[in-house]
Amino acid sequence: MVMQDGGAVDVRPDPDPGRAAQEHSGGYLAAGLCLAVCGGALAAWTVYDTVQRGAGAGDFVESLFNPGAFSATQVVGPGEWAFAAALLVVAVLLLAQRRVARTAALLCGFVLLAAALREGVGLLDAAYRAQYDADPRGGWALATHGLGLVTALVVPAALLPATERRDPHARTGAGARPGPDARSGLAPGGWWRRPSRICGVLFLVLGVARLAWTVWDLTSGRLDTARYLRGVVDAAVPGDLRLAATAGFTTVGTVIALLLLGVLAFRGRRDVRGALLVCAAVQLYLTVRGVVWLTVSGFFNHAFDTVTGALSMALTAYALAATTSVVVLATGRARGPYGGVRAEAVRAAPDGRYGER
């Protein structure tokens, strides 16, 4: 209890406000189990790939951040390593019934769905189907894609209906204790509004910059435009059997995710925080890995010799700053160490200083 304007204000925290409602526990459990199995499958492929290349644990740790550590063809790449880690972390949060994991899981589910549809288009090609029969890993690879498709269907079906709707009058009846937002004068989720808009702007700028860079690559003749765009939707284009996504699929998917999440975050959607955190964390890892490669390859020594190099450095620097900022902002919260609203928020609410947050 604290005194405010001669009256008592209850600032005791609600019991775990970040936990999903009881009626959604089944959906969270089903989605968490599917993501855990799918993440475990990608992790198993990573172990298999490392052993097949004759690498040890130390070599793999080095290759996590140094792209030049191994030159052998990989079944899975750094994008799949980061995605596997994201799947496992989100699965743990779902099994713990954490609300922040809902949109993170939906984002992972849509990525898996896009990859499965791309693989389905590739399977329409007879030569690509023949590789599954000829390659001893073909059956396992096809099973992994099938698992991804099942997960992509289960996750949205389980979590899209699991929306948390807060009734502003539900806790104001006789004998009911007002919730934290009512006690502090904050609108529900009001603390997240300003950081959300900042994250939205950062993502939108990064998405537009990467889109412009990709369009420039395609129109400047540096890439085969037709093959690049076909490779985005057709797994048969690379000509070999692998689980690693092509650069085109990864780039286009990243641009779409950045722009879509940027719009939702700029509009102040409370439930987009988990998706922002996962997307930013994966992009941050890949950006850091790219910076390490620029360092070991000596690119920094001649980065500003050309306009292209300077623009590339500027985009990399912005991507590093933007993704780091989004991770920090999406992880933060305007609550005290035990889940209750901080005392500053309670004191500032009557003055309206936190009304727009």
Side-chain angles (χ1 to χ4, degrees):
M1 293 285 187
V2 298
M3 299 302 296
Q4 179 177 304
D5 297 332
V9 178
D10 189 353
V11 295
R12 289 175 297 179
D14 283 338
D16 204 356
R19 188 176 178 85
Q22 183 63 33
E23 60 266 26
H24 302 320
S25 61
Y28 275 66
L29 178 61
L33 290 175
C34 286
L35 289 181
V37 174
C38 196
L42 284 178
W45 275 108
T46 301
V47 173
Y48 168 82
D49 198 21
T50 303
V51 173
Q52 287 295 108
R53 290 183 293 152
D59 297 323
F60 173 71
V61 171
E62 180 185 1
S63 67
L64 283 175
F65 292 96
N66 182 8
F70 298 103
S71 58
T73 302
Q74 299 174 339
V75 180
V76 290
E80 287 69 36
W81 301 341
F83 190 53
L87 289 175
L88 294 174
V89 171
V90 173
V92 171
L93 293 175
L94 285 173
L95 295 176
Q97 305 287 303
R98 308 310 299 176
R99 290 170 54 186
V100 72
R102 176 176 174 269
T103 53
L106 288 173
L107 175 63
C108 294
F110 290 138
V111 172
L112 289 171
L113 180 60
L117 293 177
R118 176 176 177 271
E119 187 66 22
V121 174
L123 289 173
L124 297 177
D125 185 272
Y128 185 67
R129 292 197 305 271
Q131 293 187 45
Y132 276 101
D133 295 329
D135 196 315
R137 305 167 301 181
W140 290 106
L142 187 60
T144 304
H145 287 299
L147 178 61
L149 177 60
V150 171
T151 302
L153 296 176
V154 171
V155 169
L159 295 182
L160 282 177
T163 55
E164 303 286 348
R165 301 186 183 277
R166 185 186 296 269
D167 184 357
H169 305 293
R171 300 175 62 88
T172 59
R177 181 166 56 87
D181 295 321
R183 292 194 301 267
S184 64
L186 293 172
W191 71 271
W192 167 242
R193 190 172 305 154
R194 184 176 299 170
S196 178
R197 287 175 178 171
I198 296 174
C199 292
V201 171
L202 292 173
F203 261 33
L204 286 173
V205 173
L206 181 58
V208 170
R210 287 193 170 173
L211 176 61
W213 187 270
T214 303
V215 171
W216 180 79
D217 268 344
L218 295 176
T219 56
S220 63
R222 298 174 60 186
L223 297 174
D224 185 338
T225 303
R227 181 178 176 83
Y228 183 93
L229 295 178
R230 185 185 168 197
V232 173
V233 297
D234 188 352
V237 170
D240 57 352
L241 184 63
R242 61 171 64 188
L243 294 175
T246 60
F249 177 80
T250 302
T251 301
V252 173
T254 299
V255 169
I256 293 174
L258 289 172
L259 295 177
L260 179 60
L261 292 177
V263 171
L264 293 176
F266 186 76
R267 295 178 59 186
R269 290 291 301 269
R270 293 172 53 206
D271 52 357
V272 79
R273 189 160 66 100
L276 283 173
L277 186 56
V278 166
C279 184
V282 171
Q283 291 303 308
L284 177 59
Y285 163 71
L286 295 176
T287 303
V288 169
R289 196 171 187 271
V291 170
V292 173
W293 173 243
L294 294 178
T295 302
V296 299
S297 64
F299 178 80
F300 283 127
N301 298 329
H302 307 283
F304 296 96
D305 292 349
T306 63
V307 175
T308 302
L311 291 176
S312 176
M313 286 298 301
L315 179 57
T316 301
Y318 176 79
L320 189 62
T323 52
T324 302
S325 300
V326 172
V327 168
V328 172
L329 290 171
T331 306
R333 56 191 303 179
R335 295 183 180 273
Y338 302 104
V341 177
R342 289 175 178 169
E344 307 90 41
V346 176
R347 289 194 297 268
D351 299 330
R353 286 185 289 155
Y354 282 75
E356 295 301 320
R357 291 188 64 182

